[in-house]
Amino acid sequence: MKLSINAEHFCDRADGSKRPLETALKLCADAGFSNVDLLVPESEAEQTAEILETYALKVNQSHCPFNRYTKKDYALFAEDILSAVRSAHRLGSKILVVHGDEFDFSAEAYSEKAVLEFNYRLFSPAAELLDRFGMKLAFENVFPDMNVPRYCSTPEELLTLVGKFPKETVGICLDTGHAKVADDKHYLENIRSYADRVIATHMHDNYYGKDLHLFPFLGELDLAACVKILKEAGYAGEFTYEFVYDRIPDEFLPEVLHLLYRMGKFLTV
């Protein structure tokens, strides 16, 4: 199982400033990573693709923006999704990861049927365009939050949505942290229930029921067991880190990335 990492995260410095994306990509490549999870604005895709080539990096997957918190008009957000598809394609990405929990609460009453149809309508054009590009769409498992219903927080909901699309073009992105937050006691069983539909991953650790996006071994999550389940299900994709909250000073970042690479190799042997 090859390793990948969300490289753009490492543009964030400890002092709140930004490292150039090229610097973050080079650091990831120097640490041993040959794959990255990356999406940039469509206008920057051409230049970024050249940088990726410089450091012999491939984009194995891209994460589409999501609208649950920004609450952009959904007609405009639908255009953003297609722009993300085109950008991901130019970067050479194989998969676009999305959240299937979108819903316009201001426009219609929430129900399982309504939210299912809403996400099917919203993402069908993207799935069709991705298929034309030889790419795939991956719906990510999520977890309840904000005291508002959140579709795809259970395996049943996730599989129902994914099941409305052709298996050849649409699958699941396993987010290990989300799985554990959603159901701490049964997260491994839940992962096993849809592991045969997993085509992408977001691998990270957590504890105390919080979505912390920690490095491996800093929390309570059994990443080795998650990898074992995926291998048994025939998963052929990458082990892709997804980090969010840490901010590593320049002095330590090369060592941290080297350590993360070694940890990933250890977990996927």
Side-chain angles (χ1 to χ4, degrees), residues 180-181 184 205-214 218-221:
K180 192 169 186 297
V181 173
D184 180 62
D205 206 341
N206 63 34
Y207 57 83
Y208 295 156
K210 296 182 179 180
D211 187 35
L212 302 174
H213 289 263
L214 297 174
L218 296 185
E220 303 168 336
L221 204 151

Side-chain angles (χ1 to χ4, degrees), residues 171 176 230 250:
T176 56
L230 290 176
D250 290 358

Side-chain angles (χ1 to χ4, degrees), residues 64-85:
C64 184
F66 45 90
N67 200 38
R68 181 175 176 83
Y69 307 113
T70 52
K71 302 185 186 303
K72 191 174 188 178
D73 179 271
Y74 271 103
L76 296 176
F77 181 63
E79 296 177 8
D80 291 346
I81 296 171
L82 295 179
S83 179
V85 171

Side-chain angles (χ1 to χ4, degrees), residues 14 21 26 70 72 74 78 107 111 155 158 182 185 187 209 241 258 260:
L21 177 60
K26 183 179 185 302
T70 52
K72 191 174 188 178
Y74 271 103
S111 70
L158 184 62
K185 292 183 179 179
Y187 75 97
Y241 286 123
H258 275 284
L260 287 170

